[in-house]
Amino acid sequence: MSTQEDAARLLVRTLEAEGVEYVFGIPGEENIHFVNALNDSSIRYVLVRHEQGAAFMAEIYGRLTGRAGVASATLGPGAINLQLGVADATTNSTPVVAISAQVGLDRIYKESHQIIDLVSLFRPITKWAELAPRAEALPEMVRKAFKTAQTERPGAVYLAIPEDVEAAKVDPGLAPLPVNTVRTQEPSPSQIARAADVLALARRPVVLAGHGATRAGAGDALVYFSEHLGLPVATTFNGKGVFPDDHRNALGAVGFMRHDYVNFGFDEADVLIAVGYELQEFDPVKVNPAADKKIIHIHQFPAEVDDHYPVEVGVQGDISRSLYALADSVHRRFDNHETGRRIREMLRRELAEGAAEGGHPLSPRRVVADIRAAMGREDIVLADTGAVKMWMARMYPTYEPNTLLVSNGLSSMGFAVPGAIAAKLARPDRRVLAATGDGAFLMNSQELETAVRENIPITVLIWDDSAYGLIGWKMDLELGRSSHITFGNPDFVKYAESFGATGYRVESADELLPTLRKALAEDAVSVVTVPVDYSHNLRLTDKLGDLTDPF
């Protein structure tokens, strides 16, 4: 009787040691030992219908839990299909471990069937990418993969496992490495003092909170900082919810394509306190066009270099501790609340006006208002890339972190449906809605079958205009006309039913809210299609373009 075990089983044990709950993927001939070994583990293998969906699922799981989501694929085309979700995770600072098969070491050096240099393909879109040269290296490589993915600034990593390495025999005494967590450092007292000196001389400072503040769980500290000093707080799209939109100091979210109400909160600011903000989320030129504001950068790592992001003081360390320390070091209050109050009132008025709008197709404002009315404070909405994202990120009030998820680093289309599946697995106590345009929906709509088969209840709301609406919006703004953006759609109700889901079609404005409530209450997979009138797009940007003073 052999005393050895398959390397595939060792790989699974290393994943179990990292606390992995799910592996999202599609098996291939070259990783059958790994998939088979998962059957005898505590890990649930979620079979998907496209590897891109697996990567998006791993990304959203990682975003909501802070633990790396795991996506698995075979070699060649299977691995390449992972790349969009992997790149999306890295640009959205989200921990993911992508694992694929590779041809055996006995032929990787020569021209052969399905050979492609996968490590070289993944290196530009990951924090680390490597091939396992021998089975005995797996414990070290898997530990490094998770440590690298999860340590600030988080992102994706990639491991290629050659076919003969996966099938090799190893000593069963070879064990996973202990998991050690990288702890963030205390902020430097001297940097806190320098930042306090800047605020002591400031006239109208404003706070911009980004995705890093969400990842760090810095919401309570941010509220304390704002209240203690009397400072208004805006967020990026990825930071929405880390500061509640119903707080008296909330300004809302920046990131819209035009100078919006929220931007007026920055126009007269002389100091920008950036908390967990990353430049990839939002171009700093939009809030610091003259590059004349003094910037206090508070994050767990140094700021990126940008001409419009001149850092006066960088406070590197635990974000919450940095905020508490800085708040207690500044002995004054700022009472510039009137601008923030008026901005919040204008946004509230827009949402209320939207809730009262009739008409069919529906206005985007009406759809946003009804989604907000249907969802609880902690329920999760994923807004896919397109006009949907612009309307939702701009107008949808959020009160808790990670309750409105967008792709704002790479801005990938097609993430919302597979992402909703992972969101429900990560947060089974929350209701989950994927809000998606019809173009983005059909990019990964096959994952409806995954949700039905795996019994993962989600609701998909399709904003139906038979076009790539955001591209048309941009064309109309800059070119005065649009072209090559329209297409035909299937009957979405029948399409949903063909997968075993429930389909709904909204026939009037007043039907949307009760239909959403019914679909969300069913605890099953459902698809709601609502026709949307995107002529409101140009009305909005024309209005904002003419706005020189919000008051």
Side-chain angles (χ1 to χ4, degrees):
M1 183 176 178
S2 174
T3 59
Q4 294 184 310
E5 71 173 355
D6 288 347
R9 175 58 192 152
L10 172 62
L11 175 59
V12 170
R13 288 198 289 122
T14 63
L15 296 180
E16 288 180 309
E18 297 291 341
V20 173
E21 296 180 293
Y22 304 97
V23 171
F24 305 99
I26 298 178
E29 295 176 62
E30 293 77 16
N31 65 354
I32 57 175
H33 296 90
F34 169 60
V35 175
N36 182 59
L38 286 169
N39 290 325
D40 301 316
S41 76
S42 60
I43 299 170
R44 177 177 170 183
Y45 187 85
V46 179
L47 175 67
V48 304
R49 301 306 302 273
H50 194 288
E51 292 90 353
Q52 187 181 115
F56 282 136
M57 291 178 198
E59 177 187 6
I60 295 302
Y61 180 88
R63 184 161 172 181
L64 290 175
T65 65
R67 305 190 305 273
V70 180
S72 169
T74 189
L75 79 178
I80 292 170
N81 282 344
L82 290 174
Q83 286 195 291
L84 181 59
V86 166
D88 200 65
T90 296
T91 55
N92 283 311
S93 302
T94 301
V96 164
V97 172
I99 303 172
S100 87
Q102 179 56 294
V103 301
L105 295 173
D106 59 344
R107 62 188 179 95
I108 198 170
Y109 61 90
K110 62 182 180 180
E111 181 178 336
S112 183
H113 179 62
Q114 286 195 302
I115 281 186
I116 192 165
D117 185 351
L118 292 170
V119 171
S120 293
L121 283 178
F122 276 88
R123 274 188 176 137
I125 59 172
T126 57
K127 293 180 69 179
W128 179 60
E130 196 52 81
L131 178 138
R134 55 200 295 266
E136 289 76 11
L138 288 173
E140 288 181 336
M141 295 188 77
V142 171
R143 178 78 281 271
K144 179 176 179 177
F146 279 83
K147 182 177 182 179
T148 303
Q150 293 169 172
T151 301
E152 286 288 335
R153 180 178 182 175
V157 302
Y158 167 71
L159 291 179
I161 314 293
E163 183 179 12
D164 48 3
V165 170
E166 184 211 52
K169 298 295 183 181
V170 297
D171 186 333
L174 199 59
L177 271 62
V179 175
N180 63 314
T181 303
V182 177
R183 304 294 180 185
T184 53
Q185 63 191 33
E186 292 286 338
S188 162
S190 64
Q191 293 301 87
I192 291 291
R194 289 184 62 214
D197 289 343
V198 171
L199 287 176
L201 300 176
R203 293 180 296 101
R204 300 179 69 89
V206 64
V207 179
L208 177 61
H211 189 205
T214 299
R215 296 196 305 273
D220 289 344
L222 191 59
V223 169
Y224 176 85
F225 183 77
S226 170
E227 293 179 347
H228 191 73
L229 298 182
L231 293 176
V233 179
T235 72
T236 62
F237 284 1
N238 273 348
K240 278 180 72 73
V242 72
F243 194 84
D245 280 330
D246 55 355
H247 191 281
R248 66 181 181 274
N249 292 344
L251 288 181
V254 292
F256 191 61
M257 63 177 72
R258 286 291 185 270
H259 198 85
D260 204 350
Y261 305 143
V262 180
N263 296 75
F264 286 98
F266 291 86
D267 287 348
E268 297 181 4
D270 58 330
V271 174
L272 172 59
I273 307 159
V275 180
Y277 161 69
E278 291 138 24
L279 272 63
Q280 204 158 24
E281 298 182 74
F282 180 58
D283 192 338
V285 72
K286 300 287 184 65
V287 291
N288 193 19
D292 56 350
K293 303 184 195 306
K294 291 185 176 180
I295 293 175
I296 298 173
H297 176 84
I298 300 175
H299 213 318
Q300 297 182 72
F301 51 86
E304 183 57 85
V305 174
D306 187 279
D307 185 39
H308 290 270
Y309 197 71
V311 176
E312 183 79 8
V313 182
V315 180
Q316 186 177 338
D318 182 90
I319 293 177
S320 291
R321 293 172 186 171
S322 299
L323 288 171
Y324 285 126
L326 182 55
D328 293 342
S329 299
V330 178
H331 305 296
R332 61 176 292 195
R333 281 184 57 83
F334 300 89
D335 295 313
N336 304 319
H337 298 301
E338 187 60 18
T339 298
R341 186 191 67 77
R342 292 182 179 180
I343 290 172
R344 287 192 303 278
E345 180 56 36
M346 294 174 82
L347 289 170
R348 277 196 294 266
R349 190 183 310 129
E350 265 204 59
L351 197 66
E353 290 171 355
E357 286 176 341
H360 190 271
L362 280 69
S363 73
R365 297 198 306 180
R366 177 62 185 262
V367 180
V368 174
D370 283 3
I371 293 173
R372 181 64 276 176
M375 304 297 285
R377 288 180 71 93
E378 295 188 344
D379 291 336
I380 298 170
V381 181
L382 297 91
D384 218 314
T385 299
V388 172
K389 181 180 91 169
M390 287 299 175
W391 283 101
M392 288 292 292
R394 178 180 182 271
M395 287 189 62
Y396 185 80
T398 48
Y399 312 112
E400 300 289 339
N402 284 327
T403 53
L404 177 66
L405 305 181
V406 302
S407 171
N408 217 39
L410 197 60
S411 288
S412 301
M413 293 179 70
F415 86 93
V417 172
I421 293 172
K424 188 64 178 178
L425 291 174
R427 297 287 183 264
D429 57 324
R430 314 274 186 92
R431 296 183 301 172
V432 176
L433 175 75
T436 176
D438 44 9
F441 171 71
L442 284 174
M443 290 183 177
N444 274 312
S445 60
Q446 72 281 346
E447 301 306 338
L448 287 176
E449 191 278 331
T450 303
V452 171
R453 170 173 31 86
E454 295 285 339
N455 193 29
I456 302 170
I458 61 171
T459 296
V460 179
L461 176 64
I462 303 171
W463 298 37
D464 183 357
D465 71 323
S466 297
Y468 293 113
L470 183 61
I471 306 306
W473 195 353
K474 183 78 168 179
M475 283 181 165
D476 288 334
L477 280 172
E478 297 195 5
L479 306 176
R481 66 176 184 176
S482 60
S483 61
H484 309 296
I485 59 165
T486 59
F487 46 74
N489 280 322
D491 182 324
F492 286 125
V493 172
K494 292 180 179 178
Y495 189 74
E497 292 171 347
S498 72
F499 286 110
T502 304
Y504 300 93
R505 181 178 291 105
V506 175
E507 303 285 3
S508 70
D510 290 340
E511 284 184 11
L512 177 57
L513 181 54
T515 302
L516 278 177
R517 285 174 169 161
K518 180 179 181 182
L520 288 162
E522 284 178 344
D523 201 37
V525 181
S526 56
V527 175
V528 181
T529 178
V530 56
V532 178
D533 177 8
Y534 278 138
S535 68
H536 291 263
N537 292 353
L538 285 179
R539 295 180 207 173
L540 174 62
T541 43
D542 286 347
K543 172 185 174 183
L544 295 179
D546 293 336
L547 198 62
T548 57
D549 187 291
F551 316 125

